[in-house]
Amino acid sequence: MGEHSEVAFSVFGWPIRWYALAYLAGIFLGYWYLLKLIAQPGAPMARRHADDMIFYAMLGIILGGRLGYVLFYNLESYLKQPVEIFKLWDGGMSLHGGVLGVLAAIWYVTRKEKLSFLRFCDYIACVIPFGLFLGRLANFVNGELWGRVTAVPWAIIFPRGGLEPRHPSQLYEAGLEGIVMMAVLAFFFWRTDARYKPGFLVGLASLIYGLSRFTVEFFREPDVQRQWVVDATGLSMGQWLTVPMIVIGLWLIATAKRRRQRVEPVAGPDAVA
């Protein structure tokens, strides 16, 4: 991991960054998997809705992720130099902001097409782990968002993190937010009737992400510009931002069964009671 490890390769002198590759691969894999999901009986969207959603989701991830980082993590700095907000290639994206951006995209598509917002969210939630997994791997390769100093045998010295070995917290997040979330959501989608209970799957995803991020933050070095939050409360900004996700996730799971109704598919021949 060198100083410029965030650049994967160059095309005609234009740097292609690991982050960009992670986003593109996550969206491509997510789209492929979404088509598999909506091919099942009772899908809440047709292929054309999935096609629309990919475009608006990309906008939501980029705009929401950037605005979230500006507002949640570095507002003071960007107020002094507003033009820096537009320098996306310099990094700085908030996953919480990206989630809000995707929710805004889903709200727009479902309102425009008169589809069920919660059921649409359930299906999109199942594909999100691809992006989370690849994004955290990109963080690791970039040598950024490293963990706290530790003596565990698997500790890593990050070039920009000083000489002390640290937790590879990006890999912890990749495992929990990516692999574990994908496995749990896939089990409930394919092996149970959870997809017919509006809000259950997205609630489960929100709960898993919230608990995973809250836990890993204890091993992750807090953002320097938000160290005061840790000093004042004992919890990091990342942990405070996950609290609403945990609460909303629990509520959606607890209330999903009562929202179950006869599901008339948007695409496909089968209605499911």
Side-chain angles (χ1 to χ4, degrees):
M1 277 180 282
E3 184 182 351
H4 300 289
S5 63
E6 70 270 11
V7 177
F9 55 86
S10 296
V11 177
F12 302 116
W14 188 267
I16 306 299
R17 298 172 186 268
W18 288 110
Y19 248 140
L21 291 177
Y23 278 123
L24 288 173
I27 289 168
F28 175 80
L29 287 170
Y31 177 67
W32 165 80
Y33 190 51
L34 182 59
L35 294 185
K36 298 278 188 190
L37 300 181
I38 66 175
Q40 303 309 304
M45 69 187 87
R47 171 72 179 262
R48 64 187 178 86
H49 302 128
D51 294 343
D52 282 352
M53 185 59 212
I54 291 301
F55 171 73
Y56 291 114
M58 287 177 66
L59 285 181
I61 291 168
I62 294 169
L63 297 179
R66 185 59 167 176
L67 289 175
Y69 180 77
V70 170
L71 293 173
F72 301 147
Y73 290 99
N74 218 0
L75 182 59
E76 300 86 349
S77 174
Y78 285 112
L79 286 176
K80 293 174 185 172
Q81 294 179 297
V83 72
E84 296 292 319
I85 294 173
F86 301 100
K87 293 185 178 179
L88 298 177
W89 53 89
D90 284 341
M93 299 286 278
S94 161
L95 196 137
H96 298 94
V99 168
L100 292 175
V102 170
L103 287 174
I106 295 173
W107 176 83
Y108 176 74
V109 171
T110 53
R111 190 163 183 261
K112 181 164 69 87
E113 301 290 343
K114 296 181 173 57
L115 302 173
S116 166
F117 174 77
L118 271 182
R119 295 203 68 232
F120 208 102
C121 284
D122 283 336
Y123 278 63
I124 298 301
C126 290
V127 310
I128 293 292
F130 285 111
L132 295 178
F133 177 74
L134 293 169
R136 292 309 182 194
L137 289 187
N139 290 149
F140 179 73
V141 172
N142 287 352
E144 62 190 0
L145 305 182
W146 50 72
R148 300 174 193 247
V149 174
T150 182
V152 297
W154 56 87
I156 291 175
I157 295 175
F158 292 95
R160 289 176 288 181
L163 299 176
E164 299 159 303
R166 296 175 175 275
H167 281 288
S169 55
Q170 314 96 321
L171 299 183
Y172 303 167
E173 290 183 284
L176 291 171
E177 301 167 8
I179 296 171
V180 171
M181 189 193 294
M182 170 62 75
V184 173
L185 291 176
F187 171 80
F188 277 96
F189 183 93
W190 295 101
R191 300 293 184 187
T192 76
D193 63 352
R195 67 181 183 270
Y196 303 123
K197 300 173 183 175
F200 183 90
L201 291 170
V202 68
L204 191 58
S206 184
L207 178 63
I208 294 171
Y209 176 81
L211 291 175
S212 300
R213 179 71 183 268
F214 191 91
T215 302
V216 173
E217 285 283 324
F218 286 116
F219 303 94
R220 177 172 156 177
E221 188 73 20
D223 294 85
V224 176
Q225 62 272 29
R226 286 291 176 264
Q227 179 63 42
W228 64 268
V229 178
V230 181
D231 296 337
T233 67
L235 298 177
S236 69
M237 176 63 87
Q239 287 173 310
W240 282 112
L241 291 173
T242 61
V243 171
M245 300 182 77
I246 294 170
V247 173
I248 292 170
L250 286 170
W251 177 77
L252 285 170
I253 293 169
T255 57
K257 192 171 183 179
R258 78 176 70 149
R259 282 190 294 270
R260 176 167 180 161
Q261 56 196 345
R262 183 176 175 81
V263 174
E264 296 294 345
V266 172
D270 302 309
V272 182

